Amino acid sequence: MYKNNVIDTLEKVVKNGTPYLGTSAGSNICGLTMSTTNDMPIVYPPSFRTLGFVSFNINPHYLDPIEGSTHMGETRETRINEFHHFNPQPVVGLREGSWLEVKGDSVKLKGNLTARIFKRNETPIEVEPETELNELK
């Protein structure tokens, strides 16, 4: 995105009215930074800044911790909590089949599943489909 100057071009055309649909990493770049992607970057990008179309970060493919699991790796919730040790912005954990619809100042959760909202130093909460997230900061 940075090497080919795609991020600036994409930001410009979307802000000028071209509709944008992003999935997976394409939704991740709509938040404030790419710091809550599920990938483990092997090279440092020139910047973690993304498009900032919404006032929070997005964690696509959010998976809930499985109670009683013997998996010894980090959960998404653990990684987001680690992110919040150094970063203030909220994170929306979007489950498979959910999306955010942005129209003007409205940011609405769509789909059939709830989303998990993480805020620094607060207990995560669930929000229902059709919830407005434009006030999330």
Side-chain angles (χ1 to χ4, degrees), residues 66-73:
I66 300 171
E67 194 171 319
S69 172
T70 58
H71 173 66
M72 300 302 286

Side-chain angles (χ1 to χ4, degrees), residues 104-124:
D105 292 333
S106 173
V107 180
K108 193 177 286 191
L109 176 63
K110 302 300 254 181
N112 296 322
L113 301 173
T114 60
R116 192 153 179 95
I117 308 297
F118 296 87
K119 291 185 177 181
R120 188 180 198 174
N121 299 322
E122 294 184 23
T123 301

Side-chain angles (χ1 to χ4, degrees), residues 28-136:
N28 197 271
I29 66 170
C30 292
L32 296 174
T33 73
M34 66 175 84
S35 299
T36 52
T37 177
N38 296 316
D39 300 320
M40 295 170 51
I42 58 170
V43 295
Y44 187 76
S47 173
F48 285 115
R49 179 188 73 85
T50 51
L51 297 166
F53 292 152
V54 294
S55 63
F56 46 84
N57 272 23
I58 299 170
N59 180 254
H61 313 291
Y62 180 78
L63 295 171
D64 294 293
I66 300 171
E67 194 171 319
S69 172
T70 58
H71 173 66
M72 300 302 286
E74 292 180 314
T75 64
R76 301 275 169 85
E77 185 167 343
T78 300
R79 294 210 43 203
I80 293 168
N81 287 330
E82 290 169 347
F83 167 80
H84 276 142
H85 281 287
F86 302 98
N87 300 278
Q89 66 263 42
V91 178
V92 174
L94 283 179
R95 295 181 174 94
E96 293 296 330
S98 297
W99 67 94
L100 299 174
E101 179 182 77
V102 180
K103 290 184 177 179
D105 292 333
S106 173
V107 180
K108 193 177 286 191
L109 176 63
K110 302 300 254 181
N112 296 322
L113 301 173
T114 60
R116 192 153 179 95
I117 308 297
F118 296 87
K119 291 185 177 181
R120 188 180 198 174
N121 299 322
E122 294 184 23
T123 301
I125 62 167
E126 294 290 321
V127 294
E128 296 294 325
E130 300 301 318
T131 299
E132 285 279 349
L133 300 175
N134 48 306
E135 297 294 321
L136 189 57

